[in-house]
Amino acid sequence: MSYSIKTIGVLTSGGDAPGMNAAVRAVTRAAIINNMRVKAIFRGYKGLIDGEVQEFTSQDVSGIIQRGGTILKSARCAEFMTPEGRKKAYETLQREQIDALIVIGGDGTFTGARDLAQEYNIPIIGIPGTIDNDLWGTDCTIGYDTALNTVMECVDKLRDTGTSHERLFLVEVMGRDAGFLTLNAAIAAGAEAAIIPEREAVAEQLKAAVGQGQRKHKNSSIVLVQEHAVEGGAMAVAKVVEEHHPEYSPRVSILGHLQRGGSPSAYDRIIASRLGCAAIQALLDDQRNIMVGIQNGEIAYVPLVKAIKQKKDIKQDEWEALQTLSI
Ligand code: F6P
């Protein structure tokens, strides 16, 4: 074991994601079993700056694996983006005698971690936790599977009313700049189309979506719209449809933050548990400033800088499957 790491800090940051608690539990217990002390940092980087720190025992993470959200709370912290903010955060780490930091979150969380690691001598391990699934170097992120199932269930319900009234439904799905959640939820729910930022012009996607050619015989349609694929989201798409296709009277459903809630799926609990253990193993192996991810079902260690900088693209076969199956 790395002799210098006696105490680790753990925090969750950015948008919460189902399974974060399972990751906190795994990190805590894997650290304790390896004779490390665990200090939980509340409210992400804000709590690190403000010194909101509490030592965790194994019991502190009992009964949380099934809970959505994060018991550590989360926040988006502008102050941490400044060198002054990171200095205060480092002072907390020193005061609390934290030798290594584990951060659970997405792109923004890792960017903050990278900056802190570049300025101060502190090993940091990132665990990918976001419903957006937009981190390079890992096939999936904690929370994505649960959110996918949530969106799918919502679309299934909308399909019932959509079919009854023979309507076009435009369903707005989260994802920040990425279309993974939208595309795969569209496949899973049998939607007619998905409008995502990664693919061709929105006007073209829309044309394909609203009942040309083969689709004309359908009496109802569901189109999933990624929140930032078009300015104004699904509401803006509805306006365009009303203007150019008066035969439709579309209804809009913005799923919003309910996509981030709920008890994590078995899959998310399992990857969160594996990644939490892998994060501690990485520290034991003297690794630093990396993200632990999953590649082809196996644990992978990826430099934090790469996870942030490289862009993960959607799979072409998934995109094609949606087009093929929505005739
Ligand atoms: O990154 C997770 C996410 O839910 C995105 O999908 C979404 O764009 C964003 O967070 C919403 O952030 P907030 O909760 O701060 O409104």
Side-chain angles (χ1 to χ4, degrees):
M1 161 180 167
S2 171
Y3 65 93
S4 56
I5 298 178
K6 295 189 180 71
T7 304
I8 61 141
V10 58
L11 61 80
T12 52
S13 167
D16 62 313
M20 278 184 164
N21 284 328
V24 171
R25 172 181 178 268
V27 164
T28 302
R29 293 196 168 164
I32 288 171
I33 212 162
N34 283 290
N35 303 313
M36 296 173 185
R37 291 171 71 197
V38 177
K39 296 215 174 168
I41 298 148
F42 290 83
R43 297 181 178 77
Y45 291 129
K46 183 173 182 331
L48 191 56
I49 289 172
D50 297 342
E52 286 194 75
V53 180
Q54 180 194 319
E55 180 147 5
F56 260 16
T57 64
S58 187
Q59 286 71 39
D60 286 312
V61 292
S62 286
I64 65 167
I65 195 167
Q66 78 285 8
R67 283 170 59 186
T70 162
I71 62 160
L72 298 187
K73 315 287 183 198
S74 194
R76 301 194 191 274
C77 179
E79 194 180 357
F80 193 75
M81 291 178 196
T82 66
E84 297 74 30
R86 292 192 291 276
K87 183 168 178 286
K88 285 189 205 163
Y90 185 65
E91 283 163 4
T92 301
L93 291 170
Q94 282 191 310
R95 198 168 49 249
E96 295 288 341
Q97 299 183 318
I98 293 171
D99 309 307
L101 186 61
I102 296 188
V103 298
I104 305 167
D107 190 66
T109 305
F110 289 0
T111 303
R114 177 204 59 194
D115 293 346
L116 187 68
Q118 279 170 357
E119 289 162 0
Y120 300 98
N121 182 24
I122 173 105
I124 304 184
I125 308 291
I127 298 181
T130 164
I131 64 164
D132 302 338
N133 195 31
D134 57 349
L135 284 165
W136 187 89
T138 186
D139 297 340
C140 51
T141 55
I142 296 165
Y144 172 62
D145 181 67
T146 306
L148 197 49
N149 279 285
T150 300
V151 177
M152 180 190 73
E153 283 165 21
C154 290
V155 175
D156 286 351
K157 289 186 169 72
L158 289 170
R159 171 85 68 192
D160 291 343
T161 173
T163 310
S164 303
H165 285 268
E166 302 186 298
R167 277 174 174 154
L168 165 66
F169 261 89
L170 299 164
V171 186
E172 188 175 298
V173 178
M174 274 186 172
R176 216 166 54 108
D177 305 320
F180 300 99
L181 194 56
T182 306
L183 174 59
N184 280 296
I187 295 173
E192 276 60 37
I195 297 178
I196 57 172
E198 292 90 343
R199 283 302 177 262
E200 71 256 33
V202 169
E204 288 306 305
Q205 294 186 45
L206 199 52
K207 206 168 120 200
V210 292
Q212 299 298 316
Q214 309 140 302
R215 290 182 184 79
K216 273 191 175 159
H217 65 278
K218 291 202 175 186
N219 66 4
S220 75
S221 297
I222 297 215
V223 176
L224 269 54
V225 183
Q226 201 274 4
E227 59 178 347
H228 296 132
V230 51
E231 206 183 321
M235 293 298 284
V237 175
K239 276 203 183 124
V240 176
V241 172
E242 278 163 352
E243 215 177 294
H244 298 287
H245 301 274
E247 69 275 25
Y248 288 98
S249 175
R251 293 295 188 271
V252 173
S253 188
I254 298 173
L255 300 184
H257 286 78
L258 73 79
Q259 295 163 92
R260 291 223 301 251
S263 180
S265 66
Y267 185 76
D268 275 332
R269 297 182 200 194
I270 293 165
I271 61 163
S273 301
R274 291 176 68 197
L275 291 171
C277 291
I280 296 300
Q281 190 55 51
L283 289 175
L284 293 170
D285 295 340
D286 284 331
Q287 298 208 60
R288 49 162 60 208
N289 310 336
I290 51 142
M291 174 189 81
V292 288
I294 305 267
Q295 291 177 8
N296 301 321
E298 302 295 332
I299 296 290
Y301 300 99
V302 179
L304 265 183
V305 178
K306 267 193 163 181
I308 303 160
K309 271 199 185 153
Q310 309 252 37
K311 190 168 159 43
K312 180 159 90 179
D313 200 4
I314 62 157
K315 292 191 172 70
Q316 182 61 16
D317 78 282
E318 290 174 353
W319 176 249
E320 283 168 13
L322 180 66
Q323 317 309 318
T324 304
L325 301 176
S326 63
I327 57 172

